[in-house]
Amino acid sequence: EPIRLPKVMTIEEVTKIFKYQRSELHLSEPQSYKHILCVRNIAILELLFASGIRIGELCNLRNKDIDLSNGVLHILGKGNKERIIYICQSQTLDALISWNNQKHQKACVNDYFFTNRLNRPLSTQSVRLMLHQVAKLAHINKTITPHMFRHTFATLLLEEDVDIKYIQSLLGHSSIVTTQIYTHVNPYKQKEILITKHPRRLITIEQEYYK
């Protein structure tokens, strides 16, 4: 049975989603419920893409799991396996800080980092629904799921030539076999490698030899 390759987004599609949600934020009335929701959704989108976190892990994040002053994320994964992810992009960290400030302003503080309008932990279903709606409104013609962010995170890192062992550690896979699904070949990347890396480019033969 052939392995089903994970569905991924292009960097253009991720950009569209981010831009759409930020434009919604600017259009919303400060302190309105819509504004608070936009701040939260931007933080969720940024974190999904920055860390490759599973949706269940994201919804279970506690306030103590995120050190915003140092950009350190503690994730409790499958089988109570812990991993640490560093938030290294300033815009991602800013989005998380904005949501944290927003929560404190509205006094919607409980143990969980992400909450809903009733100040309860966010459900995985509500995140799925939010992604589905945002993708549709951003004119992306594919069904976007939380796991697709995880797949995209891994695939794009691999295409940046990051060693698969690091990707395994970032995703919290106990076996590298699980991570190897991401080593499927992107034909454009393959072409780029053959153009820029193939040693034949180092051999120059004068034109007369071809006559």
Side-chain angles (χ1 to χ4, degrees), residues 86-153:
Y86 294 93
I87 305 297
C88 301
Q89 310 301 321
S90 61
Q91 286 194 324
T92 304
L93 200 54
D94 288 347
L96 295 171
I97 290 167
S98 293
W99 164 242
N100 197 51
N101 292 343
Q102 196 77 64
K103 276 199 315 178
H104 285 282
Q105 277 174 30
K106 288 286 168 195
C108 56
V109 181
N110 64 20
D111 255 7
Y112 288 86
F113 187 72
F114 290 112
T115 52
N116 62 18
R117 70 194 311 172
L118 301 169
N119 194 24
R120 294 201 181 118
L122 210 52
S123 71
T124 57
Q125 191 52 39
S126 60
V127 178
R128 284 178 216 284
L129 194 62
M130 180 271 283
L131 286 181
H132 184 72
Q133 288 169 338
V134 168
K136 196 174 165 187
L137 292 163
H139 306 295
I140 291 166
N141 300 321
K142 58 170 84 155
T143 305
I144 304 299
T145 64
H147 225 65
M148 210 183 272
F149 271 86
R150 186 167 160 85
H151 293 326
T152 304
F153 166 82

Side-chain angles (χ1 to χ4, degrees), residues 14-201:
V14 178
T15 305
K16 266 186 175 181
I17 288 173
F18 281 10
K19 280 185 173 171
Y20 168 77
Q21 192 61 76
R22 276 185 166 77
S23 70
E24 282 293 286
L25 177 72
H26 296 309
L27 291 170
S28 63
E29 201 64 44
Q31 301 309 309
S32 66
Y33 179 67
K34 185 181 178 184
H35 186 86
I36 295 166
L37 210 58
C38 286
V39 172
R40 187 199 67 189
N41 291 349
I42 288 168
I44 290 171
L45 293 167
E46 286 279 2
L47 191 59
L48 283 170
F49 190 56
S51 64
I53 193 170
R54 293 178 182 98
I55 182 63
E57 295 167 342
L58 179 133
C59 291
N60 278 321
L61 278 177
R62 306 297 207 271
N63 295 313
K64 64 177 174 56
D65 297 331
I66 302 184
D67 175 355
L68 292 169
S69 51
N70 296 302
V72 181
L73 184 68
H74 286 260
I75 302 174
L76 191 63
K78 284 183 175 177
N80 282 342
K81 206 164 166 262
E82 280 191 54
R83 67 187 188 278
I84 288 175
I85 306 257
Y86 294 93
I87 305 297
C88 301
Q89 310 301 321
S90 61
Q91 286 194 324
T92 304
L93 200 54
D94 288 347
L96 295 171
I97 290 167
S98 293
W99 164 242
N100 197 51
N101 292 343
Q102 196 77 64
K103 276 199 315 178
H104 285 282
Q105 277 174 30
K106 288 286 168 195
C108 56
V109 181
N110 64 20
D111 255 7
Y112 288 86
F113 187 72
F114 290 112
T115 52
N116 62 18
R117 70 194 311 172
L118 301 169
N119 194 24
R120 294 201 181 118
L122 210 52
S123 71
T124 57
Q125 191 52 39
S126 60
V127 178
R128 284 178 216 284
L129 194 62
M130 180 271 283
L131 286 181
H132 184 72
Q133 288 169 338
V134 168
K136 196 174 165 187
L137 292 163
H139 306 295
I140 291 166
N141 300 321
K142 58 170 84 155
T143 305
I144 304 299
T145 64
H147 225 65
M148 210 183 272
F149 271 86
R150 186 167 160 85
H151 293 326
T152 304
F153 166 82
T155 302
L156 293 177
L157 281 178
L158 203 63
E159 287 180 11
E160 289 286 338
D161 302 320
V162 174
D163 191 301
I164 195 165
K165 291 194 298 294
Y166 289 109
I167 296 171
Q168 176 194 0
S169 151
L170 288 164
L171 291 174
H173 286 161
S174 48
S175 164
I176 201 153
V177 175
T178 317
T179 320
Q180 277 166 346
I181 190 165
Y182 295 107
T183 57
H184 66 277
V185 175
N186 175 334
Y188 301 107
K189 179 70 177 173
Q190 187 188 58
K191 184 180 177 184
E192 186 196 318
I193 288 165
L194 290 174
I195 291 168
T196 59
K197 307 270 201 234
H198 197 288
R200 179 64 182 82
R201 76 192 193 287

